[in-house]
Amino acid sequence: DEARAEMNAAAAAAPTSASATLGSTAEAAGARRGGARRGAAWSPARSAARPTATSAAPAAPMVDAHRLPVFIVRAGLAGDLSTVKHWLMRGGSVDATWDRPDGSTKGFTLLMLAALQGQARHVELMDLLLHKMADADLTNSGGSTALMLAAANNKHTAVQRLLSAGAKTSKRAIPPMGVDKGPTALDLATRNEHEFTRVLIVAHEAAADYGMPSHRPITDLPRVVQEAAVEGDEELGVEWR
């Protein structure tokens, strides 16, 4: 009973709430300051009104210009033009790269990711990147260029855009073990039986051999063939050849 009485007395003497504790602490702090501003009473509201270093808004994180963040990789695969454009405006590099999380392939650019998908919205993204001077001949760790990825996956319009931008058809991917030479974009299209993609590359190389401007040989194809490339009309491409 005596011990219980002592505990009750101690509890009665202790602050009953956080506000009581805050008030007692404030009074002590005010006394130490010597009654700043002619003894004006301290209050939590007055203290909160004064700006402090910790209350300042944090600065926006800097963009790592040479590495593609995951959300931009996803935007590239989705053909999200607005998100990519905003990131580039904030200082992102048009040739920034991304590595697969498993480390199997490194050095994918936005142009590669867009070419790999090859749908209309991705081609629009490719146009933006090429306009901003993206390097169409960069390779990933496997030696693949954007043109190779598009050709291997039969993305006609992406192939056309890259050829028009002057992408080199002579570049080769890293060969498999025991093979002397890696495949070119033409080799990949042929191996995968993507006939119309193959025709586009052959026509481009033929135009270059005849001395047509290397940065726009594909535009010298007949309009009907260009439209067939966009629409994926392989029969017309094969007939024209």
Side-chain angles (χ1 to χ4, degrees):
D1 293 339
E2 290 179 359
R4 186 179 293 107
E6 290 177 0
M7 291 174 62
N8 292 337
T16 58
S17 67
S19 61
T21 303
L22 178 60
S24 61
T25 303
E27 290 173 3
R32 286 195 300 271
R33 287 195 296 270
R37 297 184 62 182
R38 297 187 178 180
W42 181 91
S43 72
R46 182 177 291 112
S47 177
R50 291 195 298 270
T52 63
T54 57
S55 64
M62 295 295 290
V63 170
D64 184 350
H66 301 291
R67 300 297 298 172
L68 290 176
V70 174
F71 81 97
I72 291 298
V73 173
R74 291 172 178 164
L77 291 171
D80 186 345
L81 184 66
S82 177
T83 298
V84 172
K85 185 182 296 186
H86 180 69
W87 183 76
L88 292 173
M89 290 175 61
R90 290 183 56 219
S93 170
V94 72
D95 289 327
T97 59
W98 169 77
D99 303 338
R100 288 187 182 276
D102 62 5
S104 59
T105 311
K106 300 180 180 181
F108 284 95
T109 65
L110 274 172
L111 188 62
M112 293 178 192
L113 296 175
L116 184 61
Q117 300 300 106
Q119 299 178 23
R121 60 183 182 276
H122 299 98
V123 173
E124 187 177 2
L125 175 57
M126 291 174 63
D127 288 340
L128 169 70
L129 298 171
L130 291 168
H131 178 73
K132 291 184 175 293
M133 306 304 293
D135 188 341
D137 293 320
L138 288 179
T139 60
N140 61 22
S141 62
S144 294
T145 63
L147 180 61
M148 292 178 194
L149 294 172
N153 289 277
N154 206 28
K155 305 301 181 181
H156 307 109
T157 312
V159 168
Q160 181 194 26
R161 288 293 198 280
L162 290 164
L163 293 175
S164 297
K168 295 178 181 178
T169 59
S170 59
K171 294 184 75 70
R172 292 181 177 274
I174 295 175
M177 188 72 68
V179 178
D180 292 336
K181 293 182 178 180
T184 63
L186 179 58
D187 293 335
L188 292 168
T190 302
R191 177 189 303 171
N192 294 329
E193 299 182 352
H194 300 325
E195 182 61 17
F196 192 47
T197 296
R198 192 189 73 80
V199 168
L200 287 174
I201 298 173
V202 169
H204 173 91
E205 292 180 337
D209 289 342
Y210 279 102
M212 296 181 181
S214 60
H215 64 286
R216 39 177 321 202
I218 198 69
T219 59
D220 294 305
L221 289 172
R223 178 173 296 276
V224 65
V225 178
Q226 294 183 49
E227 292 175 352
V230 174
E231 297 172 1
D233 187 345
E234 296 191 15
E235 292 185 2
L236 178 58
V238 174
E239 181 181 347
W240 173 80
R241 182 195 59 176

